[in-house]
Amino acid sequence: MRKKTVLAAAFVAAATLTLSACGSSDDSAKTPVADVSTQAKTKAATVLDQPFTKPDLVLTDTHGKKYDLREQTKGKPTLIYFGYTNCPDVCPLIMSNIAIAKKSLPKADQDKLQVVFVTTDPERDTPASLGSWLKAQDPSFIGLTGDFPTIQAGARQIGIGIDAPKKLKDGTVESMHGSQVIAFSPKTDKGYLVYSEDTSPDDYTKDLPKIIKGETP
């Protein structure tokens, strides 16, 4: 797929947080600005000086029930990712990497961790199809769908740029979106860590125990 970098943060002493996209996007000018500490780069994650507030999103889960993201993940370590089930590469890889790392955790910690996948292609990603796709990754993963404007607005709240799906000349549908995973602390409910699509299962395995405790890896 074509790729383009979506800028989601300002320069702070020559350090920036960038959001890459599956495909390309012109949404960069609309994303919020977040400061990045010049000394806050871990091996896998970028630590934000000004953490994101959890998106104010009320969508539909894979069981067809209303899901209030803030309310239902309050006080829980949470990873949020925006993507779509028909994505040929990045989305399944990212979710698989998280699933692999999650399995390395003690059962009690696995139960605490909330992994939320918000579709950027709600017309095709129905609750049933989204649930089936996520079940193959990890049955505990939370899938959310709804109307596109609501999803897009929620993504922008955490610096993720997404464009409405569009049909290409060859008949395929392309959904372009930022490919970052944002980690939210159970202590503050703030998104303080950003993981790129290049984050490996080993990276997540090392960081998840601290994320669950609300600590910085």
Side-chain angles (χ1 to χ4, degrees), residues 18 30 37 40 42 64 74 80 90 92 99 102-104 107 129 131 146-147 153 163 173 176 183 188 190 200 212:
T18 59
K30 308 170 189 175
S37 170
T42 70
K74 185 176 181 179
I80 296 178
V90 176
K102 180 174 175 285
K103 291 176 182 177
S104 70
K107 181 62 165 61
S129 64
D147 66 275
D163 290 341
V173 176
M176 293 172 287
T188 64
K190 298 288 187 178
S200 71
I212 289 169

Side-chain angles (χ1 to χ4, degrees), residues 33-89:
V33 173
D35 290 343
V36 183
S37 170
T38 57
Q39 297 180 344
K41 176 69 180 176
T42 70
K43 182 178 181 181
T46 298
V47 184
L48 302 181
D49 278 345
Q50 297 182 7
F52 288 116
T53 297
K54 193 172 289 181
D56 185 12
L57 273 175
V58 178
L59 296 170
T60 301
D61 67 15
T62 55
H63 302 289
K65 297 181 179 179
K66 183 177 77 172
Y67 190 96
D68 186 322
L69 180 65
R70 284 185 178 175
E71 184 62 30
Q72 293 182 246
T73 62
K74 185 176 181 179
K76 300 176 182 180
T78 305
L79 303 181
I80 296 178
Y81 178 73
F82 287 79
Y84 66 114
T85 64
N86 285 283
C87 175
D89 41 34

Side-chain angles (χ1 to χ4, degrees), residues 88-99:
D89 41 34
V90 176
C91 299
L93 176 62
I94 288 174
M95 298 310 289
S96 175
N97 288 347
I98 294 173

Side-chain angles (χ1 to χ4, degrees), residues 40 42 47 192-193 207 210-211 213-217:
T42 70
V47 184
Y192 66 117
L193 296 173
D207 287 3
K210 290 190 175 181
I211 290 173
K213 295 177 183 178
E215 300 174 354
T216 299

Side-chain angles (χ1 to χ4, degrees), residues 13 28 62 68 70 112 145 158 168 186 198 204 216:
S28 58
T62 55
D68 186 322
R70 284 185 178 175
K112 293 176 183 176
T145 188
I158 56 174
L168 304 180
D198 298 322
Y204 282 118
T216 299

